[in-house]
Amino acid sequence: MTRTIGASVPRKEDPRLLRGRGRFGDDVDAEGQLYARVVRSPVAHGRVENIDTRQAARAPGITTIVTAADLPDAHRIPVRLVVAGPDLTAHLQPVLAARTVRYVGEPVAVVVGEDPYRCEDAADELDIDIGELTPALDAAQAPEAAELTRAYGDPDAAFRQAAHVTEITIDIGRHSGVPLEPRCLLAIPAGDDTHIYGMTKVPVYNRDLLARMLNVDQHSIHVYPVDAGGGFGIRGEFYPEDFLIPWLARTLDRPVKWTEDRAEHLVAANHSRQQRHTVSAAFDRHGRLTGLTDEVIHDNGAYCRTHGIAVAELTIAMLPGPYRVPAYRGHVSVRLTNKTPCGTYRAPGRYEGTTAREHLLDVAADQLGIDRVELRRRNLLTAAELPHHREISTLGTKLVLDTGDYPALLDAAIREADRLGYRVPGEGAPGESAPGEGAHAKHGFGLAMFVEKSGLGPRETADVAISEQGTITVHAGGTTLGQGIETVLAQIAAEALGTRPELITVTLGDTDKQPFGTGSWASRSTVVGGSAVHQAALAVRQEALKQAAKALEAAEHDLDLVNGEVVVRGDPAVRVSLAELAKTTQAGLTARRTFEVDHMTYPYGVHAAVVSVDEDTGAVSVLRYLVAYEVGRAVNPMLVEGQLRGGVAQGIGGALLEEFGYDADGQPRSVSFMDYRMPTAAEIPRIDVLLSQDHPSPGNPLGVMGAGEGGINAVGAAIANAVRDALGRPGPLASLPLTPSTVRRDIQLMTGIAYVSKTDLVVALIREQIITGELSAGEQLRQRDLAQRFGVSQTPVREAMRRLESEGLLLSDTHRGFTVVSPDDGPLEENFQIRAALESLGASLAATKIDAAGLARLEDLNARMRDLADDDPAYPDLNREFHFAMYEYARSPLLLSLMRLMWASLHGGPKVSRTHAESARQHDEILTALRAGDAAAAARHTRQHIMGAR
C-alpha cells in the first residue's frame, strides 16, 4: 500500500486559489438576477410602530420591499445543536422583526431591485418608526434565558476541607471570527426547484431546514459548493438571510443575490466569547487539587441562534481540562442582552474556560509558593489514568478523555521552550527589556495547558468511485473553508488505492452528489469524514483486488495496487488498470460508507508565550510563541502546523486587540476595521510548533484527532499569564483583551492609582506624552490615531481633548482640530526644588508604612545598582524603579501620579557628579531611615540625594 498519510504534500486547493481561479460566493452570478439589501434596525431595543415603504418602493429600479407582514409565516429559526433541558423557544430569532427589535443590525425589511447600489439608496429611504426602549447591556443585570450545571463529586466538601483556596474573576471580551470573506447567497428558481450557492459549512442541514420552512421537498433544493474565505464557526449558522433570499427568489421567480458588506457583517453575523468567570480551586497542603468550581455569566446577545446554548455547555463541561479534579461544579447562566446574538467561534467555550482555569492556576501557584509548571505537573492526569471518565456530558456525548500522556507533553514543551531560549537573558527572559524597546518594557513568560475535543458524530458519509476512464472521485459531506480538507481526503483515499493524491478529485458541499453530509465544524472533517473516506476507499480497493484476481487468475493476497494498477507481487509485468476493471465490473468500482461514532476524541496541548509590556503605554507585544500539540496521527503534518499557526494568530487578536464594544444606548462601536482591530503580520511573532504523534486515537481507524482548534484554545491564557508575569502582579488580571488601556489600568491598580473612566485614563496618557515631549508642541492630533494608540474608541479621546484644552495643553482650531500647545515649565532649578519636596514627602510617608517585603525589594535594587559600572546604561531604569518602589509604599495615589509626571518632565536638571557607588551609599542612608521608621531622616536624606547637596 502506497504511504501518503503522514506526508506533507502540497495542498490540492492552492493552484486554483493562487492563480485567482477560486470560485467564491460573490463570483457566481445568474442571468437576470435581482439584488437584495437587508434593512436593519438602527436601535438596540424598541417597538416597531411602523415601516413606511412607499417612498422607497417608488425609487428607480426597485422591484419589491418586504417586511415581516409580507412573509407567509412568522418563522423563527430553530436550534441545531440542542442541549437537553432548557426550552429556548421564546428566545429564537425571527426571520424579520415584526413588533420588537432587540439589537442594532436586526433585519426588519429587505429591498430587492435591479441594481445593488439603487437598493442600498432605497433602503436609506425607508421610514422606520421605532419607539426606543431601555437596552439591557450588562449581562449581570440582564434576563436569563437558561442555566446549566455540570458537576460530579462533592465540591462543597472539598472547599470546606481545603488547606488553601484561590478564587479569581476574569472577563473574556466579545469578539468573533471575522472571516476574510463576508457572507454571500445566490438563489436561482427553476420550476419547483431552487439552486443555491453560498451555503457553506453545513449545507445538508441548511437545505433540510430551508425545505421545512418553505414547506417543499428537500430534494427540490440543490446546494452547490463554493470556496469560502474562512469559516471559524461563524458560517455554521442558518441566518435570517438563508431563508429570505431563497424565499424571495421563489416568490419573484427570478434569481436573487445578496452580498454582505463589512459593516453589515460586524453587526449581523455571530459574535462570541463574552463571559465572566468566577472560578475557584481548592488545594490540599501538598498543592494538589481537591475541588474546582466556576460560576459563569454568559452574554448571548439578543437571541439564541442555531447553536443554542452549546457554547455555554462546552464552557463548563470542558473546564476541568487535563487535570485530576476529584470534585467539580460548573454553573452557567445564559443571559440575553441587546447586542448581536452570539454563537460559536473556533474553540468555543474552551478558549474562554482555558483562560479562566489556567490564569487561576498561575495565581494559585504564586500564593502556594509552588513553581507554576510544577503545580500543573503535580495535578495532571497521568498516562496510566487514561482513559479517564468524567461523570458529565457535552454535546450529547459522555466526556471520556481517551488517550495521551499529559505530563510528557508538558515536559517536552518546557524542554523545547528552553532550547529555543524563551527564558534565556537577551531572548525574552521575564523582567528584561530587549534592544529597541521602550525603557520601561518588561518581559514575561506564560504557559497554559488544555484539552480539546474533536470528531463529533454521529456520522459522516463518503462515496469513492473509479470511472471507466480511471478517474478517482471522492464525494464527501464536509465543506472546504480554507482548511485543506480536499488535500487530506485525497491523501486518505490515495493511500488505500495505491495512487497519488493529485490524481484524485474531491467534491465537497454538493448536496446532489453527497446528500447525507453532516458538514465541516467542531474539528470533525478529518476524524469523522476522513474515516468515512478511508472505509469507502478500502471497500473499493477490496472490490478491485477481487475483480483483478479473476482477471489475472491470481490469489487476492498476491495482488497490490500501484499507480492506478493492480499488479502481481513479484511479477509486476502482470497487471490490470483500475479503468479496465471499472469497465468490466457490472456494479462499478464504487462504494458508499458511513462512519458512525457516539463519542469524541480529545487532543491536548501546551502553549507558551513571551511578551513585552511597556509600563508607560500599556502596549503588549508577543515576542515568541510555542505550541506543543498531540494530534494522534497527522495525515498532513504541514497542514496541521498551518492550522495551529493560524489559530495562534486569531488567538492573539482576541487576547490583545479585538473587541466589540457598545455605548450606553446599545450602539455598536466597532463597525469597521478602523475600530475593530485585527492582528496583522506586524503583531504576529514567529510561532514554533512541536507536533506530537505519540498517542493515536483509539476511536477511529485512522487514529487521528482534530487540529483546527488546538492553535487558538490556550492563547488567551498563555498571553494573560505572560503579561501578569511581566508586571509582577500578585493577583489576576481583570479581563481580555489586554489593550493598552486595560493594561495601564492593571498597572495603576497595582501602584495605587485608579482612573474612574476611560476618559480620565486618556487624559492622563495624553498629558504625560505632552510633558515628556512624545507629543511635540504644534503637533496636530487625530482622534482616530490616538484611539488606536490607546486601544479605546474615539469617544473618550474626544472628551479627553476637550478637557485638556480647558487645561491649556491643547488648542482647538476649526480647520486643524486640536494641536499641542508648548507648555511653560518654568525655571528648571525651581522645578527640581519642587521635585525634591515631593520626593521628600514620599519618603517620609513611606517610612511609616513600608513593610519587610518592601525594604527587601529596595535593598535588592540598590545592590544591583551598586554593582554597575558608571557607564552602564541599565542604571537609569534601576534608579527610577528604586524611587518609584519607595513612593508606592507612601500609599498615596495622588503623590505617585504627580511624581510620574515630574520624572517624565525633568530629563535634564542640575548635573550632579557622583558615581553609582556614591548614589547607592546615599540610598543606604535613606534605607536606614526607612528601617527605623524615621520619617524626618528619610525626608532629609532624600532631599539631599535629589539635589546632590551634602
Side-chain angles (χ1 to χ4, degrees), residues 417-459:
D418 289 341
R419 184 186 72 82
L420 294 171
Y422 276 47
R423 299 188 287 182
V424 175
E427 295 291 334
E432 295 193 357
S433 299
E437 293 181 312
H440 305 121
K442 301 296 184 185
H443 285 185
F445 174 80
L447 180 135
M449 287 204 69
F450 67 97
V451 164
E452 251 302 334
K453 62 101 191 117
S454 67
L456 179 64
R459 68 187 60 85

Side-chain angles (χ1 to χ4, degrees), residues 655-672:
L656 299 181
L657 302 167
E658 300 177 47
E659 186 171 28
F660 288 113
Y662 290 82
D663 68 14
D665 296 321
Q667 291 294 323
R669 289 174 170 170
S670 303
V671 293
S672 75

Side-chain angles (χ1 to χ4, degrees), residues 200-459:
T200 57
K201 210 165 173 66
V202 284
V204 172
Y205 172 84
N206 281 9
R207 177 203 65 180
D208 293 350
L209 175 56
L210 177 62
R212 292 197 298 273
M213 294 176 74
L214 293 173
N215 194 27
V216 300
D217 187 274
Q218 64 191 36
H219 299 296
S220 70
I221 297 175
H222 311 273
V223 179
Y224 300 102
V226 292
D227 290 308
F232 316 128
I234 196 169
R235 292 189 189 275
E237 290 284 358
F238 188 99
Y239 287 99
E241 298 84 2
D242 291 315
F243 170 83
L244 288 168
I245 303 309
W247 177 80
L248 284 164
R250 292 173 62 89
T251 301
L252 300 172
D253 199 26
R254 286 182 64 180
V256 177
K257 183 175 183 178
W258 168 73
T259 302
E260 182 182 57
D261 63 32
R262 183 60 66 186
E264 203 175 5
H265 178 89
L266 290 173
V267 299
N270 280 350
H271 291 181
S272 197
R273 302 287 199 225
Q274 189 167 13
Q275 292 181 346
R276 170 169 293 174
H277 289 254
T278 300
V279 57
S280 307
F283 297 90
D284 66 16
R285 61 189 181 88
H286 301 294
R288 292 187 175 88
L289 278 164
T290 59
L292 184 67
T293 63
D294 193 8
E295 288 287 334
V296 184
I297 296 176
H298 176 93
D299 186 336
N300 207 63
Y303 296 103
C304 292
R305 285 180 167 168
T306 61
H307 290 102
I309 55 174
V311 175
E313 187 203 34
L314 280 165
T315 301
I316 55 173
M318 298 288 291
L319 193 117
Y323 300 102
R324 187 185 306 102
V325 181
Y328 169 69
R329 180 177 61 246
H331 174 262
V332 59
S333 175
V334 180
R335 307 293 179 89
L336 297 183
T337 58
N338 295 114
K339 305 173 188 175
T340 299
C342 286
T344 58
Y345 170 34
R346 203 171 191 174
R350 283 93 72 202
Y351 177 95
E352 302 92 306
T354 297
T355 298
R357 181 193 65 243
E358 294 298 305
H359 204 52
L360 170 76
L361 289 178
D362 262 26
V363 174
D366 293 348
Q367 292 177 355
L368 290 164
I370 300 173
D371 178 79
R372 298 165 190 169
V373 175
E374 173 56 29
L375 183 66
R376 288 173 170 83
R377 185 183 290 116
R378 196 172 295 183
N379 286 286
L380 285 172
L381 291 162
T382 65
E385 294 174 280
L386 300 183
H388 178 72
H389 297 252
R390 286 190 172 135
E391 296 303 316
I392 50 180
S393 64
T394 185
L395 299 180
T397 67
K398 294 181 179 179
L399 206 160
V400 181
L401 303 181
D402 48 355
T403 186
D405 190 336
Y406 305 151
L409 189 63
L410 174 61
D411 291 341
I414 292 297
R415 288 194 302 272
E416 184 72 357
D418 289 341
R419 184 186 72 82
L420 294 171
Y422 276 47
R423 299 188 287 182
V424 175
E427 295 291 334
E432 295 193 357
S433 299
E437 293 181 312
H440 305 121
K442 301 296 184 185
H443 285 185
F445 174 80
L447 180 135
M449 287 204 69
F450 67 97
V451 164
E452 251 302 334
K453 62 101 191 117
S454 67
L456 179 64
R459 68 187 60 85

